[in-house]
Amino acid sequence: MVLSDSFLQCAFIGIAFILFSSSISVEAAEVWGVHEQVQGYRNLGRGSCQDSRGKMYSYLQRTMTFPDAITCAQKECERFGNIGAYRGFEFSVGKRCTCLFDVDQAPPVPDSGEAPDYVGGSDGGDGDVFSTTSMPGTTCFASPGSRIEVKAAFALLSSATIFMLL
């Protein structure tokens, strides 16, 4: 099988682009705290958490900020860990902590003058966290039972195929 020079050039440019873009996202991830680890959770990276159908989850969010994702998990969301519908949390660059639940399963919370208010919303997410929206600004942390989609698999498979052709 003979490959044309233009094909080889395109393959080389494609591989260079994949390698270059991944190095940029790693540097950006470190700045945004995407690689922060929280015991008992899996960091899925940037973006809002989604289920296997691409739906986001119902949520509860306190109207206050948290210093980091660890504090968000320990001081806010872990108290919901024994609820079967609890799916994990998101931590934003604005230092907001959002606890996630299956559709319409967010628990009622006490609203008192001593504690900051909560805001919440309902969305169609249901079941294990499967992936993220990949949008910057938020990091998704899945509770231990959730599985993830490996988004880099396609890029890796494409690179391996090109190398095999060379």
Side-chain angles (χ1 to χ4, degrees):
M1 176 181 191
V2 176
L3 298 174
S4 70
D5 288 338
S6 61
F7 175 79
L8 292 174
Q9 288 173 343
C10 288
F12 178 73
I13 291 170
I15 292 167
F17 177 75
I18 290 169
L19 294 175
F20 179 71
S21 64
S22 65
S23 69
I24 289 175
S25 64
V26 167
E27 291 170 10
E30 290 170 358
V31 170
W32 293 328
V34 173
H35 292 298
E36 185 173 10
Q37 298 303 311
V38 177
Q39 186 175 0
Y41 292 87
R42 285 183 302 122
N43 181 334
L44 274 64
R46 75 174 174 203
S48 296
C49 300
Q50 295 178 317
D51 70 3
S52 62
R53 299 170 300 137
K55 302 284 186 180
M56 293 187 286
Y57 294 90
S58 297
Y59 67 91
L60 285 177
Q61 182 186 78
R62 258 196 178 158
T63 57
M64 61 183 283
T65 59
F66 291 79
D68 52 40
I70 295 169
T71 306
C72 167
Q74 292 174 348
K75 301 290 185 193
E76 188 63 19
C77 294
E78 281 185 2
R79 63 189 159 129
F80 302 118
N82 62 346
I83 297 172
Y86 175 66
R87 296 300 169 198
F89 71 96
E90 297 167 354
F91 189 70
S92 73
V93 294
K95 301 197 179 288
R96 296 287 184 180
C97 178
T98 305
C99 307
L100 306 173
F101 306 89
D102 287 339
V103 61
D104 297 325
Q105 297 295 312
V109 293
D111 194 16
S112 70
E114 299 171 8
D117 291 332
Y118 282 88
V119 294
S122 183
D123 215 328
D126 192 41
D128 292 339
V129 176
F130 193 73
S131 64
T132 73
T133 60
S134 299
M135 298 299 292
T138 300
T139 303
C140 172
F141 292 88
S143 63
S146 296
R147 63 183 189 278
I148 64 168
E149 174 184 14
V150 181
K151 292 183 174 186
F154 178 74
L156 184 60
L157 182 61
S158 298
S159 298
T161 303
I162 291 170
F163 281 123
M164 288 171 53
L165 291 173
L166 298 177

